[in-house]
Amino acid sequence: MTTQATETADVTAATATAAEEPPDPASSDRHRLTALTGLAALSLDAMASVAYGPEAIVLVLAAAGAHGLGFTLPVTLAIAALLAVLVASYRQVIAAFPDGGGSYAVAKKHLGARTSLVAAASLVLDYVLNVAVAVTAGVAALTSAFPELYGERLWICLAVLALITAVNLRGIVDSARAFIAPTAIFVVSILTLIVIGLFRDAPVSTEAAAGHASVLADNATTVGALLLLKAFASGCSALTGVEAIANAVPQFRTPRARRAQHAEIALGAVLGVMLVGLSVLISRFHLQPVAGVTVLAQLADASLGHNWAFYVVQFATMILLALSANTSFGGLPVLLKLLARDNYLPHVFALKADRQVHRHGVLTLAGVSAALLVFSGGDTNTLVPLFAIGVFIGFTIAQVGMVLHWRGVPGSLGKALLNGFGALLTGVSAVVVTATKFHDGAWLIVVALPVLVLAFQAVRRAYDRIGERLGLGRIPECPTHARSLVIVPVSGISRLTSEALTAANSLGDEVRAVTVVHDDPEDRAASEALTRDWALWDPGVDLVRLPSERRTLGRPVAAYVREAAEPGTRVTVLIPEAEPGQAWQRLLQNQRGAVVAHAVRRDTDAVICRLRFKLS
């Protein structure tokens, strides 16, 4: 397809999008995000990562014993430095690409179509996995507090997913407002834990870890670079979700880029403070990882004591882990819209409903995530090895693209070096995480990534072929008048029949009514009665009887349409159907119209017109 043809297809999709959008664009701004609501809607994934990011570092370093745990803070500081690089980079991405798309948009402009599809595929996989991991982690925290619910964890996961989906179908602003309170409670509780813990010389309580076996290995005298690199890569799971705001810039109120940048900076600041603060407390209290108790639970116990404050932190963490799936519902539909606009996905993903909801993207994400939950049985450990690989690939591609973005721009050397350093760090992390988790299930991502890219390319080729057949971008021949024959399938005489023949007479030069007669005594008698009544009614349209030895309806009509399709004649099959006033009454319909339409569409080139007669 030529560039002009592609643009025409995009205009067509945009026109379809406009058909579903509210008529007054200015009024739709209230259905978009502010910096605060954007932080609540799009940062839950990143915020919740403090529940497992520091723990991931500690579990790796525990292999070197107490000496290894001494490197918890340095590794966390390195991750915080990378976080600062990423926030600065995505702040630049937001300004340079205000239409959203994050790494996909950057790669599309600076690295080529294929690399942009790799970035898009990695983001799609990360968003889908984030939903499944977030929901299962939240439910796992619930079943830890109430063990009797463990057997029902899959159904609880699906119920939580259904709740989040329903909230997002009402609009991203409604979801943001609903999640402001739990986000605020979580952030305040973690910051309170850190501040109080900094004034403690020793743990207030160790009750949470009492009776649980330590997973600390024998003490080592040295800590190798590979172990530190692995700890760094594992801890980088805390950085998932940092890109979500850059992907969803169009969801913000005007000025969109500025509000999104403010939300990105706030996310980086809060997340960085929490990560570093928790790591300081881990070193201060000399905590060791134990089986069955999270590091965050031990920190809450040591800093606040085993009281109501401890349970506030636990329940806030549980709720935010479950709700952190909302980050995907805010970012992925916008990415799918951009892919659809570029003809890499069906155009239906570009459509918007009221409240600025990409309904098809939301429902697709919910459906795929539900399938993953069923596949995993609601078990977090089945999904975690697949998590965070895609986001590192997206980070790396985005920052390499931004290096090229600054090429030739005066005074941008520092920015290019910053992006290049970030690309190096995230690229190394992507390789290390993939290698260390390959046998634990990461190979599925290695396989799924190219498969998804090939699927995008197949959709694009299909749209190219359709555009070529439609002649998009080329001036077509002038329209001409052709003889028009309208065929109306009927099964009786009613007001519906009269309406159908009236519509057919207004559409065509010639109208024929057809009825199918089966080789059955009862059916033949009904057909003869219809013929007599038709002659008495005399609507001015001939009734043609189509014999059928088998009890089929669509094939005889399609065969007659083929016979009637003479050269220079445009054949239209007008199928009358009654549309009940109540939705549940549609279950009472016999679906004869759908059967005829399917057969005619499959076997002929006739135009199909389905006349809906509404029953009040």
Side-chain angles (χ1 to χ4, degrees):
M1 191 190 297
T2 63
T3 302
Q4 186 178 3
T6 303
E7 290 175 353
T8 306
D10 292 344
V11 170
T12 303
T15 304
T17 303
E20 286 197 7
E21 289 182 348
D24 182 9
S27 66
S28 68
D29 210 38
R30 72 176 186 274
H31 296 302
R32 299 184 187 275
L33 299 169
T34 63
L36 178 61
T37 55
L39 190 65
L42 300 171
S43 70
L44 296 182
D45 178 19
M47 294 292 186
S49 65
V50 302
Y52 50 79
E55 182 158 10
I57 299 172
V58 169
L59 287 174
V60 173
L61 294 177
H67 185 65
L69 291 178
F71 288 87
T72 300
L73 183 56
V75 171
T76 305
L77 289 174
I79 293 173
L82 177 56
L83 172 63
V85 172
L86 289 173
V87 169
S89 176
Y90 276 106
R91 185 174 179 273
Q92 297 165 0
V93 171
I94 290 169
F97 299 91
D99 290 334
S103 58
Y104 169 69
V106 176
K108 178 186 171 185
K109 182 175 181 180
H110 297 293
L111 299 174
R114 184 167 297 178
T115 306
S116 72
L117 292 182
V118 173
S122 66
L123 287 173
V124 169
L125 291 173
D126 181 65
Y127 276 135
V128 172
L129 285 167
N130 172 59
V131 173
V133 169
V135 171
T136 55
V139 172
L142 176 65
T143 55
S144 296
F146 303 98
E148 62 272 14
L149 297 177
Y150 183 79
E152 307 297 328
R153 64 190 184 282
L154 175 57
W155 293 109
I156 299 174
C157 285
L158 294 175
V160 171
L161 177 61
L163 173 64
I164 297 173
T165 303
V167 172
N168 278 275
L169 286 175
R170 289 187 53 81
I172 191 169
V173 170
D174 280 1
S175 70
R177 290 170 179 164
F179 300 150
I180 282 179
T183 304
I185 292 172
F186 176 80
V187 171
V188 170
S189 63
I190 296 298
L191 293 179
T192 302
L193 181 157
I194 293 170
V195 171
I196 294 177
L198 292 175
F199 290 95
R200 303 286 191 191
D201 294 326
V204 177
S205 169
T206 58
E207 184 176 342
H212 294 269
S214 173
V215 298
L216 195 66
D218 292 336
N219 202 19
T221 57
T222 59
V223 177
L226 183 60
L227 184 67
L228 292 176
L229 196 61
K230 185 177 179 181
F232 174 81
S234 296
C236 280
S237 60
L239 303 180
T240 57
V242 172
E243 79 292 346
I245 293 174
N247 290 337
V249 178
Q251 302 277 28
F252 284 83
R253 294 182 184 178
T254 53
R256 297 175 186 174
R258 186 183 304 170
R259 291 181 187 273
Q261 286 178 324
H262 291 166
E264 185 75 45
I265 294 171
L267 168 61
V270 175
L271 180 58
V273 168
M274 290 195 295
L275 287 175
V276 174
L278 292 177
S279 293
V280 169
L281 293 187
I282 291 173
S283 301
R284 187 181 184 87
F285 294 143
H286 304 289
L287 292 186
Q288 300 178 4
V290 298
V293 180
T294 66
V295 169
L296 185 60
Q298 292 187 66
L299 287 174
D301 198 30
S303 180
L304 304 175
H306 204 79
N307 48 33
W308 63 268
F310 170 83
Y311 289 102
V312 168
V313 173
Q314 292 304 102
F315 278 101
T317 303
M318 175 191 71
I319 293 172
L320 201 73
L321 277 170
L323 297 183
S324 63
N326 195 69
T327 298
S328 296
F329 283 95
L332 182 60
V334 176
L335 176 62
L336 298 184
K337 179 200 75 172
L338 295 177
L339 287 167
R341 188 191 64 185
D342 295 335
N343 296 329
Y344 290 114
L345 279 179
H347 288 169
V348 69
F349 286 104
L351 299 180
K352 279 185 182 179
D354 291 340
R355 297 173 177 268
Q356 302 299 304
V357 177
H358 295 284
R359 182 180 294 125
H360 297 90
V362 170
L363 292 176
T364 300
L365 174 58
V368 176
S369 301
L372 270 178
L373 291 173
V374 172
F375 165 76
S376 67
D379 182 17
T380 308
N381 294 328
T382 305
L383 299 168
V384 165
L386 312 180
F387 191 45
I389 297 175
V391 74
F392 287 129
I393 296 173
F395 283 161
T396 306
I397 291 175
Q399 297 198 84
V400 170
M402 288 305 293
V403 171
L404 298 178
H405 177 77
W406 299 120
R407 186 174 52 187
V409 178
S412 60
L413 179 60
K415 296 178 181 178
L417 290 175
L418 180 69
N419 294 139
F421 180 64
L424 176 64
L425 291 179
T426 54
V428 169
S429 298
V431 172
V432 172
V433 172
T434 303
T436 56
K437 297 183 178 180
F438 188 82
H439 294 291
D440 295 328
W443 62 269
L444 285 172
I445 301 298
V446 177
V447 172
L449 198 62
V451 168
L452 201 52
V453 171
L454 292 175
F456 292 152
Q457 292 175 328
V459 173
R460 177 58 183 261
R461 286 194 298 270
Y463 272 123
D464 288 348
R465 288 193 294 269
I466 293 171
E468 185 65 29
R469 292 291 300 274
L470 292 177
L472 294 178
R474 299 192 297 269
I475 299 176
E477 298 177 357
C478 293
T480 59
H481 177 75
R483 177 177 173 272
S484 178
L485 170 63
V486 182
I487 297 174
V488 183
V490 299
S491 58
I493 298 176
S494 65
R495 185 179 173 188
L496 176 62
T497 310
S498 175
E499 291 285 342
L501 296 180
T502 299
N505 280 320
S506 66
L507 290 174
D509 301 314
E510 180 184 354
V511 178
R512 300 177 194 171
V514 298
T515 185
V516 178
V517 183
H518 298 120
D519 189 13
D520 177 85
E522 182 178 348
D523 197 68
R524 283 199 302 270
S527 177
E528 291 172 357
L530 174 60
T531 303
R532 289 194 303 269
D533 293 342
W534 195 274
L536 292 173
W537 183 36
D538 191 18
V541 175
D542 293 335
L543 177 65
V544 181
R545 299 174 63 184
L546 306 179
S548 175
E549 295 181 358
R550 300 179 179 179
R551 296 194 64 83
T552 59
L553 182 63
R555 289 182 180 178
V557 175
Y560 181 78
V561 170
R562 285 197 304 270
E563 295 174 1
E566 301 174 356
T569 300
R570 175 76 66 179
V571 179
T572 300
V573 179
L574 189 147
I575 304 172
E577 296 176 292
E579 184 173 308
Q582 301 294 328
W584 69 268
Q585 294 175 341
R586 295 174 185 173
L587 299 173
L588 307 178
Q589 292 179 292
N590 55 28
Q591 303 301 323
R592 293 166 60 94
V595 171
V596 173
H598 175 73
V600 173
R601 182 182 298 109
R602 180 189 58 201
D603 299 333
T604 75
D605 294 327
V607 176
I608 299 173
C609 178
R610 301 178 73 169
L611 174 68
R612 305 281 184 168
F613 181 71
K614 292 187 177 181
L615 303 176
S616 58

